[in-house]
């Protein structure tokens, strides 16, 4: 009798998962077969009740706080996505960034949720969810943004503005490609020296990736500065040049990826993603454009 009840319970769980998956498919345009597979993935997740996530201990992406709790944009997003699916235990495993993909492929983790960007090269090794953030360039300026800098074009137009950038970084290259004269740019060896130059007034703005700016400004020792908002960086193919972050999965786990994409779409629609973004200092500048898909990024179009 007990076994019969358990079988009935599992059947109801599967049926409910399949109905939810098909409903989400109709809403999101997902093919019915993918939705059915996602429903099966939900059943497996609910029965297993746990999942292991790789992070690389870097704010604001995925890191352990002073109490040892895994926090950050992606851990919070994964919890919001998976908890309603019956996943009672989410274990976070910290490793070096370069070890995240090999660790997942070796099945030490089930997913990577730690600020990993979609790139054509990585798309050959793993599969990604749809983008959750657009990681573009950002600026640190003095409080009040005295020069009212909101784009590289503003810097280009005013030869008095002194821009700082990391030596050899993509952010510095983007500024140059956007037309900022190199004589207006001072390059620094590391982020600490770059930020110190803004605080001391030796430069008027520092270009860094948006997450780096968010992380720097969370440091209570960094005073007298703010993020330049809004900000438009280098424009490529009609949209600001950016790295698009997402959750990574093993290539064979397409059903799990599809299930996660359903939940991600729901969390974007109900405002949860925006709330998590705000918690970790992200703004509307960091929203992934709806037109940018993982497939397009994997194909090198963005």
């Amino acid at each position: 009798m007990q076994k019969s009840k358990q079988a009935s319970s599992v059947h109801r769980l599967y049926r409910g998962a399949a109905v939810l998956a098909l409903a989400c498919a109709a809403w999101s345009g997902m093919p019915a077969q993918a939705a059915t597979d996602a429903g099966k993935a939900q059943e497996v997740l609910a029965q297993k009740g746990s999942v292991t996530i790789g992070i690389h201990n870097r704010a604001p992406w995925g890191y352990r706080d002073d109490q040892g709790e895994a926090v950050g944009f992606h851990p919070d997003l994964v919890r919001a996505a998976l908890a309603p699916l019956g996943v009672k235990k989410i274990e976070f495993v910290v490793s070096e960034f370069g070890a995240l993909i090999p660790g997942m492929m070796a099945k030490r983790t089930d997913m990577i949720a730690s600020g990993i960007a979609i790139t054509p090269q990585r798309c050959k090794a793993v599969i990604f969810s749809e983008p959750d953030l657009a990681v573009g360039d950002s600026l640190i300026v003095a409080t009040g943004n005295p020069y009212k800098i909101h784009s590289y074009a503003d810097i280009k137009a005013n030869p008095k503005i002194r821009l700082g950038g990391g030596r050899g970084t993509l952010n510095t290259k983007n500024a140059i490609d956007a037309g900022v004269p190199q004589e207006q740019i001072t390059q620094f060896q590391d982020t600490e020296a770059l930020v110190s130059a803004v605080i001391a007034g030796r430069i008027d703005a520092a270009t860094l990736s948006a997450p780096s700016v968010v992380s720097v400004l969370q440091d209570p020792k960094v005073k007298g500065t703010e993020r330049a908002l809004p900000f438009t960086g280098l424009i490529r193919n009609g949209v600001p040049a950016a790295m698009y972050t997402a959750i990574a999965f093993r290539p064979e786990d397409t059903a799990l990826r599809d299930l996660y994409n359903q939940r991600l779409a729901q969390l974007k629609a109900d405002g949860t993603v925006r709330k998590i973004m705000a918690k970790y200092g992200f703004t509307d500048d960091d929203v992934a454009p709806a037109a940018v898909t993982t497939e397009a990024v994997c194909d090198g179009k963005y």
Side-chain angles (χ1 to χ4, degrees), residues 34-45:
T36 300
D37 291 344
K40 293 178 180 177
Q42 181 173 346
E43 180 188 17
V44 171
L45 273 179

Side-chain angles (χ1 to χ4, degrees), residues 173-247:
K173 181 180 183 299
N174 285 344
I176 295 170
D177 289 348
V180 177
Q182 294 195 42
E183 55 266 26
Q184 283 181 246
I185 302 175
T186 302
Q187 298 191 38
F188 294 82
Q189 192 63 38
D190 55 48
T191 299
E192 183 177 17
L194 182 59
V195 175
S196 295
V198 178
I199 295 172
R202 295 193 299 273
I203 58 175
D204 303 301
T207 178
L208 293 158
S209 70
S212 294
V213 169
V214 170
S215 181
V216 165
L217 294 181
Q218 288 176 341
D219 186 340
K221 294 180 291 186
V222 177
K223 300 182 183 300
T225 62
E226 64 182 46
R227 183 178 177 183
L229 292 171
F231 179 74
T232 301
L234 174 67
I235 301 299
R236 183 182 293 128
N237 293 332
V239 298
M243 295 185 296
Y244 298 95
T245 61
I247 306 301

Side-chain angles (χ1 to χ4, degrees), residues 12-278:
R12 287 196 302 270
L13 174 64
Y14 171 74
R15 184 175 58 190
V19 169
L20 173 63
L22 288 169
C24 290
W27 176 60
S28 65
M30 178 182 291
Q33 183 57 51
T36 300
D37 291 344
K40 293 178 180 177
Q42 181 173 346
E43 180 188 17
V44 171
L45 273 179
Q47 289 179 338
K48 183 180 178 183
S50 65
V51 66
T52 303
I53 312 291
I55 61 174
H56 73 296
N57 210 34
R58 183 174 178 181
W61 296 115
Y63 60 101
R64 294 201 182 279
D65 63 14
D66 294 339
Q67 288 72 47
E69 179 74 13
V71 295
F73 173 79
H74 275 128
D76 282 14
L77 183 60
V78 167
R79 289 188 182 102
L82 299 186
L85 303 181
V87 180
K88 296 180 176 59
K89 180 181 179 182
I90 302 178
E91 181 181 0
F92 292 90
V93 177
V94 175
S95 70
E96 295 293 329
F97 187 82
L100 287 172
I101 290 179
M104 183 176 70
M105 298 306 290
K107 298 190 176 182
R108 289 192 287 274
T109 59
D110 301 305
M111 303 157 61
I112 298 170
S114 194
I116 189 168
I118 307 165
T119 67
Q121 183 177 6
R122 288 176 182 153
C123 291
K124 297 176 182 177
V126 300
I127 57 175
F128 287 96
S129 69
E130 289 303 314
D132 45 51
L133 288 179
V135 182
D137 292 350
S138 189
L139 295 184
I140 294 177
V141 295
T143 300
N145 194 0
Y147 282 101
K148 307 304 177 188
I149 307 169
H150 295 291
S151 66
Y152 286 137
D154 291 340
I155 301 173
K156 176 183 176 182
N158 187 346
K160 293 182 179 180
I161 297 176
R162 301 160 297 170
L163 177 66
R167 192 179 307 280
T169 65
L170 180 61
N171 315 104
T172 301
K173 181 180 183 299
N174 285 344
I176 295 170
D177 289 348
V180 177
Q182 294 195 42
E183 55 266 26
Q184 283 181 246
I185 302 175
T186 302
Q187 298 191 38
F188 294 82
Q189 192 63 38
D190 55 48
T191 299
E192 183 177 17
L194 182 59
V195 175
S196 295
V198 178
I199 295 172
R202 295 193 299 273
I203 58 175
D204 303 301
T207 178
L208 293 158
S209 70
S212 294
V213 169
V214 170
S215 181
V216 165
L217 294 181
Q218 288 176 341
D219 186 340
K221 294 180 291 186
V222 177
K223 300 182 183 300
T225 62
E226 64 182 46
R227 183 178 177 183
L229 292 171
F231 179 74
T232 301
L234 174 67
I235 301 299
R236 183 182 293 128
N237 293 332
V239 298
M243 295 185 296
Y244 298 95
T245 61
I247 306 301
F249 304 82
R250 285 186 291 271
E252 65 268 24
D253 290 337
T254 55
L256 179 59
R257 186 272 316 275
D258 292 343
L259 175 62
Y260 178 82
N261 274 339
Q262 290 176 10
R263 290 291 298 135
L264 178 62
Q266 292 169 341
L267 295 176
K268 286 180 178 180
D270 68 18
T272 300
V273 173
R274 295 283 186 129
K275 290 179 182 177
I276 298 173
M277 287 174 61

